[in-house]
Amino acid sequence: MSDGAAMAAGASEGTSDGQRKLLFWACFSALVATSFCFVTRSMLIGQWGAEFGWDETEKGRILGVGLWPFSISIILFSLVIDKIGYGKAMVFAFLCHILFAAVTIMAPGTSNPYMAFYIGSLLGALAAGTVEAVINPVVATLFPREKVKWLSILHAGWPGGLVLGGLLNIILGPDSNWKVKIGLVFIPTIVYGVFMLGRKFPIHERVAAGVSYRDMLREFGVICAFIVAFLVIKEIGSVFGFEQWLIWTLIIAATLAYGAATGFAPGRFLFVILVLIMMPLATTELGTDTWVTDLMGPEMKKLSIDAGWILVYTSFIMMVLRFVAGSIVHRLSPLGLLSIAAALAMLGLLFLSSAVGATILIAATIYGVGKTFFWPAMLGVVAEQFPKGGAMTLNGVSGIGMLAVGTVGAVFLGYIQDSSVNNKLQTERPALHAQVASEKNWVFGKYEAVDPTKVEGLSSSEDKESVHTLSDAGKKEALRAVAIFPAFMLVSYLLLMVYFKSRGGYKPVLLETGGQT
């Protein structure tokens, strides 16, 4: 893998179309491999939980660590990506993807399997974040006048990997060895590794325009730096048992260090707003995708259909629609598109939480169409409004979104299920509750949950069935609860449309580079 200055941001039109497209598809294939890892892990979480006796929140923590370290790598690499080069970053991503599969396969044979699974998922998340740290600014630079369109097509690679990985997992069946399924990750990883060989990467448009490194950091701002520090250090502190005083000391120190480097610039107000919206957006899309196979399992089992088909089906919808994003964006502004998407996602989730039988397909279709444009359209808005922020703002908004869903969102969905089962069991069957409940910890402190190991140890089959019935109901409540996130997003996008209209309408900001504006 090599870096080169042959394709500067402002001179991307001067590069041969073949070179640009070849690099684009190399980036696309890396994203396919990333989502292949994501869906494989998501579809195996139920099997791992049953095999190793994890409760829902513990499963959520494993799913979460597959997301939040993404933000560490994407943000850290965004700070230095223009100096170390995109090629070296892709080498790091490739190695982390290989290690993710290897460590996960070997996890059961270690002294602490749960921690081994945790570390394996962490490595996969670091790979994912590094891939995104490279491909988003590269594609935005290659196509400076059509950012939303090409970022949408690029991110068709995400559902493409979900479809590919999901189909292979379903074809192999629930009774096949899960290590074989994890081993499949090596295939798309090697493909993108070979595809990246010899590629020459562009100079980012910020660098080509002469925007200073400090000005890039000022666009991101100290407010967003605090959000990153809070989410990262709280999660790391929870994992390693840090005292609260130490956690807050590290948060404040990290924020002050960033502030000192930027003159304590708060960051662009509009960017801060977009960051806050990105948190529920990421939970709506990735948090739900992470859990949907497990959440819909009981209902799909009644139909004798693998619950993985829900994720594969909605991902196929996303893939197709993102490939035709260009014509849609021309008819709607990015914010108009995001408003419609939020409304559909909200309705789809509410419908999915109560759907039975054939109506599940209708609900999944509505949800799938809704979530399609969330991620690429938000990246497009950031890239178009904050080009001076370079890789930091473009990747930072993705990083914070992943942080939110990884530290809170995915775990929150597990917590909703645990709380629902625990509360109903405590109310309806207090004696049974006393036998199976345990106190545990998560990012916001202690919680009480039903322990699966204790449930399996019950002598009465009737008692076991009572707990399982309540557990199935809890899964539905999780889908219903997450619908509040796209509802918040819808209101936010409508207000942003009013804001831009008051300023003459939504218009992309173009940097002057190489004599072009």
Side-chain angles (χ1 to χ4, degrees):
M1 301 181 191
S2 60
D3 295 293
M7 296 182 289
S12 62
E13 287 87 350
T15 304
S16 72
D17 187 61
Q19 287 180 351
R20 285 196 295 160
K21 294 295 177 62
L22 191 58
L23 179 54
F24 172 83
W25 290 113
C27 293
F28 182 92
S29 67
L31 189 56
V32 169
T34 296
S35 63
F36 190 102
C37 296
F38 173 89
V39 71
T40 300
R41 193 169 48 85
S42 298
M43 295 182 77
L44 290 173
I45 192 66
Q47 187 174 343
W48 289 340
E51 184 173 335
F52 299 101
W54 302 340
D55 65 31
E56 301 304 321
T57 307
E58 286 172 328
K59 287 157 64 176
R61 194 172 291 121
I62 290 292
L63 293 174
V65 76
L67 298 173
W68 66 261
F70 168 105
S71 63
I72 296 177
S73 55
I74 194 173
I75 291 172
L76 289 181
F77 270 109
S78 296
L79 288 169
V80 297
I81 195 74
D82 296 314
K83 297 184 182 297
I84 68 171
Y86 295 116
K88 293 183 180 67
M90 288 307 301
V91 170
F92 176 80
F94 177 82
L95 292 175
C96 283
H97 269 137
I98 294 293
L99 287 171
F100 154 72
V103 170
T104 303
I105 288 171
M106 294 186 293
T110 63
S111 59
N112 188 341
Y114 187 85
M115 184 53 64
F117 276 107
Y118 191 92
I119 292 171
S121 292
L122 185 148
L123 288 167
L126 291 177
T130 307
V131 166
E132 290 256 7
V134 172
I135 64 176
N136 289 326
V138 164
V139 171
T141 297
L142 289 175
F143 307 98
R145 299 178 185 278
E146 297 179 296
K147 292 177 181 177
V148 175
K149 171 186 173 181
W150 283 100
L151 283 169
S152 294
I153 297 174
L154 170 69
H155 282 269
W158 179 266
L162 297 183
V163 171
L164 179 62
L167 283 175
L168 287 174
N169 275 272
I170 291 171
I171 290 170
L172 287 173
D175 298 325
S176 62
N177 191 327
W178 61 261
K179 292 183 179 181
V180 173
K181 296 177 180 178
I182 289 292
L184 293 173
V185 167
F186 289 118
I187 299 174
T189 299
I190 292 172
V191 168
Y192 91 76
V194 172
F195 210 173
M196 282 287 177
L197 288 173
R199 300 284 73 78
K200 291 186 175 182
F201 294 89
I203 297 172
H204 192 271
E205 59 181 334
R206 173 193 69 83
V207 179
V211 177
S212 71
Y213 181 78
R214 188 169 187 264
D215 283 343
M216 177 186 77
L217 297 183
R218 288 173 65 85
E219 290 276 298
F220 188 78
V222 72
I223 294 175
C224 291
F226 170 77
I227 293 173
V228 170
F230 175 81
L231 292 172
V232 170
I233 296 171
K234 282 287 285 184
E235 178 65 17
I236 292 175
S238 173
V239 171
F240 293 101
F242 291 173
E243 296 290 339
Q244 285 299 311
W245 68 266
L246 177 57
I247 290 174
W248 279 104
T249 298
L250 292 173
I251 292 171
I252 293 169
T255 305
L256 290 176
Y258 192 95
T262 61
F264 289 93
R268 296 284 295 277
F269 176 73
L270 178 59
F271 179 70
V272 175
I273 296 299
L274 292 175
V275 162
L276 294 177
I277 296 173
M278 192 67 178
M279 295 182 187
L281 182 152
T283 300
T284 302
E285 180 180 338
L286 295 179
T288 306
D289 280 354
T290 300
W291 271 109
V292 71
T293 301
D294 195 57
L295 294 177
M296 293 303 298
E299 201 61 50
M300 298 297 283
K301 190 174 182 180
K302 297 175 185 176
L303 303 173
S304 299
I305 299 175
D306 192 308
W309 282 112
I310 293 290
L311 183 57
V312 170
Y313 175 66
T314 58
S315 298
F316 180 77
I317 292 172
M318 290 174 67
M319 181 178 66
V320 173
L321 290 179
R322 285 181 179 181
F323 268 117
V324 299
S327 59
I328 299 175
V329 171
H330 281 307
R331 291 176 174 82
L332 295 168
S333 72
L335 292 174
L337 179 61
L338 284 165
S339 298
I340 294 172
L344 289 173
M346 177 184 66
L347 293 173
L349 285 169
L350 288 173
F351 195 3
L352 203 57
S353 70
S354 58
V356 294
T359 59
I360 292 176
L361 181 64
I362 300 172
T365 301
I366 297 171
Y367 168 65
V369 173
K371 70 175 181 173
T372 290
F373 299 104
F374 281 160
W375 207 275
M378 278 290 280
L379 292 184
V381 171
V382 171
E384 289 183 342
Q385 295 302 312
F386 310 102
K388 288 185 179 180
M392 194 63 196
T393 49
L394 181 56
N395 289 329
V397 73
S398 283
I400 291 175
M402 279 288 197
L403 258 177
V405 70
T407 58
V408 180
V411 185
F412 176 68
L413 293 178
Y415 176 76
I416 290 174
Q417 297 170 68
D418 280 334
S419 295
S420 172
V421 177
N422 184 74
N423 293 339
K424 288 181 179 178
L425 193 61
Q426 190 173 33
T427 302
E428 299 173 14
R429 303 282 300 278
L432 178 58
H433 174 267
Q435 294 181 60
V436 298
S438 297
E439 187 175 77
K440 302 188 179 184
N441 292 297
W442 76 314
V443 68
F444 291 118
K446 296 184 182 298
Y447 70 97
E448 194 172 45
V450 171
D451 189 327
T453 304
K454 292 182 178 180
V455 173
E456 292 306 312
L458 292 171
S459 57
S460 169
S461 58
E462 182 181 346
D463 287 344
K464 287 183 182 180
E465 185 61 30
S466 295
V467 176
H468 291 320
T469 300
L470 291 175
S471 178
D472 291 348
K475 294 180 186 300
K476 292 252 183 175
E477 288 191 12
L479 282 173
R480 193 176 306 118
V482 81
I484 190 67
F485 295 132
F488 167 79
M489 291 155 55
L490 174 59
V491 173
S492 300
Y493 291 135
L494 292 174
L495 290 175
L496 284 174
M497 290 174 70
V498 172
Y499 166 78
F500 275 103
K501 186 174 182 180
S502 70
R503 297 169 62 88
Y506 179 93
K507 298 183 183 69
V509 176
L510 295 175
L511 289 177
E512 185 172 344
T513 57
Q516 299 178 3
T517 59

